[in-house]
Amino acid sequence: MRRIDCARIREAVTAELVRINREIGPDVLSALESGLRTEESPVGRSVLGQLIENDHIAAREGRAICQDTGMVVAFVTLGQEVHLTGGSFREALDGAVRDAYREARLRNSVVRDPLFDRSNTGDNTPAVLHLDLVPGDGLTIDLMAKGFGSENMSALAMLSPAEGEEGVRRLVVDTVRKAGPNPCPPVIVGVGLGGTFEQAALLSKKALFRPLGEPSPDPRYAALEASLLADINRLGIGPAGLGGRITSLAVHIETGPTHIASIPAAVNISCHASRHGRVIL
Ligand code: SF4
């Protein structure tokens, strides 16, 4: 049995949340730079240049990449041999969000209730927490600061098996088309296929954690990812929705077994400010 103190978790998660709000990942930066080289539209190139400059300034000056500092999502993979000590995991996680957003002066973007009390919680808590229990004594926390301009443009459909690959293609491309400029393109498109209604949504969110440039390990889905990316980039939405070819930097598909009667299909969109990181303890 390995002991991990909750104070240590809080400290490590705080540091990572501050970092991801200031430093865009090298995978995203390199995809933006590659987009700058291939974008045909002069306006699109200008937007991509500004996004890259913004990311450099944020990292250099310790400023937030975007004013929408997002809602924190944590995918926690906890080994069954771990004994958490010194408090509750939930309090460590929310404490880290509180500390990070205060320390780095990040905007608090969370309200208490979706309908009847939209007052700000004042510290960006609570985080959204997903837990996976695995063998072993490790603890991995994948973190995302998820902006909602893009979250709002996400979609889910319970497709019939007969709709097949074509149905999935239609859903993904139509979702990006309808979103237009709203999710702050160039976007990253996470697609979750399979499981149940809620599992598909989780898979689509997980897909956004995969480093850009890393295709699905299944060659059939890797080919579908590449083909969907090409279709999306023919829509003409372009950087910031001002026209051009670079509407999306990547399409990632994650899958799981599902029921004989369905293809649950979810599309979760991330903006170019795709802020994600990992804590391993
Ligand atoms: S969707 Fe992304 S880039 Fe757009 S405002 Fe929100 S965090 Fe910023």
Side-chain angles (χ1 to χ4, degrees):
M1 182 68 68
R2 177 174 168 234
R3 289 168 185 272
I4 302 179
D5 194 284
C6 284
R8 199 171 145 220
I9 296 171
R10 180 169 177 162
E11 199 181 325
V13 172
T14 300
E16 188 63 355
L17 287 175
V18 171
R19 190 191 70 74
I20 64 174
N21 267 289
R22 293 172 172 171
E23 295 170 26
I24 201 74
D27 58 332
V28 180
L29 199 52
S30 133
L32 288 169
E33 283 162 350
S34 150
L36 181 60
R37 287 192 293 276
T38 52
E39 176 56 86
E40 296 164 9
S41 148
V43 177
R45 281 201 300 277
S46 164
V47 170
L48 289 168
Q50 288 172 47
L51 294 179
I52 292 166
E53 188 187 1
N54 175 72
D55 289 344
H56 285 309
I57 292 171
R60 197 170 57 235
E61 299 187 5
R63 294 172 188 268
I65 293 163
C66 183
Q67 45 76 33
D68 175 0
T69 51
M71 190 166 189
V72 174
V73 180
F75 279 86
V76 177
T77 310
L78 178 66
Q80 289 171 191
E81 306 301 322
V82 174
H83 179 201
L84 298 174
T85 59
S88 82
F89 184 87
R90 166 54 79 180
E91 185 39 40
L93 179 62
D94 283 349
V97 174
R98 202 172 291 127
D99 294 347
Y101 278 66
R102 189 189 302 122
E103 181 188 312
R105 299 181 184 203
L106 303 170
R107 190 185 82 184
N108 295 320
S109 307
V110 178
V111 297
R112 275 171 227 288
D113 179 90
L115 279 185
F116 300 118
D117 179 8
R118 292 192 64 88
S119 60
N120 199 299
T121 60
D123 56 10
N124 220 51
T125 65
V128 175
L129 168 60
H130 305 292
L131 175 64
D132 197 9
L133 286 173
V134 296
D137 63 359
L139 172 60
T140 302
I141 306 170
D142 286 302
L143 295 161
M144 179 179 286
K146 186 67 176 73
F148 266 50
S150 50
E151 193 76 353
N152 282 344
M153 297 296 112
S154 302
L156 193 146
M158 302 302 283
L159 303 176
S160 77
E163 289 178 274
E165 186 180 327
E166 259 327 293
V168 171
R169 282 178 175 280
R170 209 174 311 118
L171 174 71
V172 174
V173 177
D174 282 355
T175 300
V176 179
R177 181 189 288 114
K178 277 187 221 149
N182 296 324
C184 301
V187 296
I188 298 141
V189 183
V191 180
L193 300 178
T196 49
F197 181 85
E198 83 285 2
Q199 180 71 17
L202 275 175
L203 287 167
S204 69
K205 179 76 79 202
K206 260 191 178 167
L208 295 178
F209 281 92
R210 195 198 305 157
L212 271 65
E214 200 179 291
S216 166
D218 181 329
R220 298 166 303 174
Y221 285 105
L224 184 55
E225 288 174 349
S227 155
L228 281 169
L229 180 63
D231 287 352
I232 288 168
N233 284 340
R234 272 194 288 271
L235 292 173
I237 296 168
L242 296 173
R245 293 289 161 212
I246 310 298
T247 300
S248 176
L249 301 175
V251 177
H252 292 167
I253 303 174
E254 294 292 325
T255 64
T258 189
H259 192 277
I260 50 173
S262 187
I263 306 175
V267 184
N268 193 200
I269 299 184
S270 169
C271 56
H272 59 82
S274 173
R275 295 150 297 189
H276 55 91
R278 172 173 278 190
V279 167
I280 299 176
L281 291 173

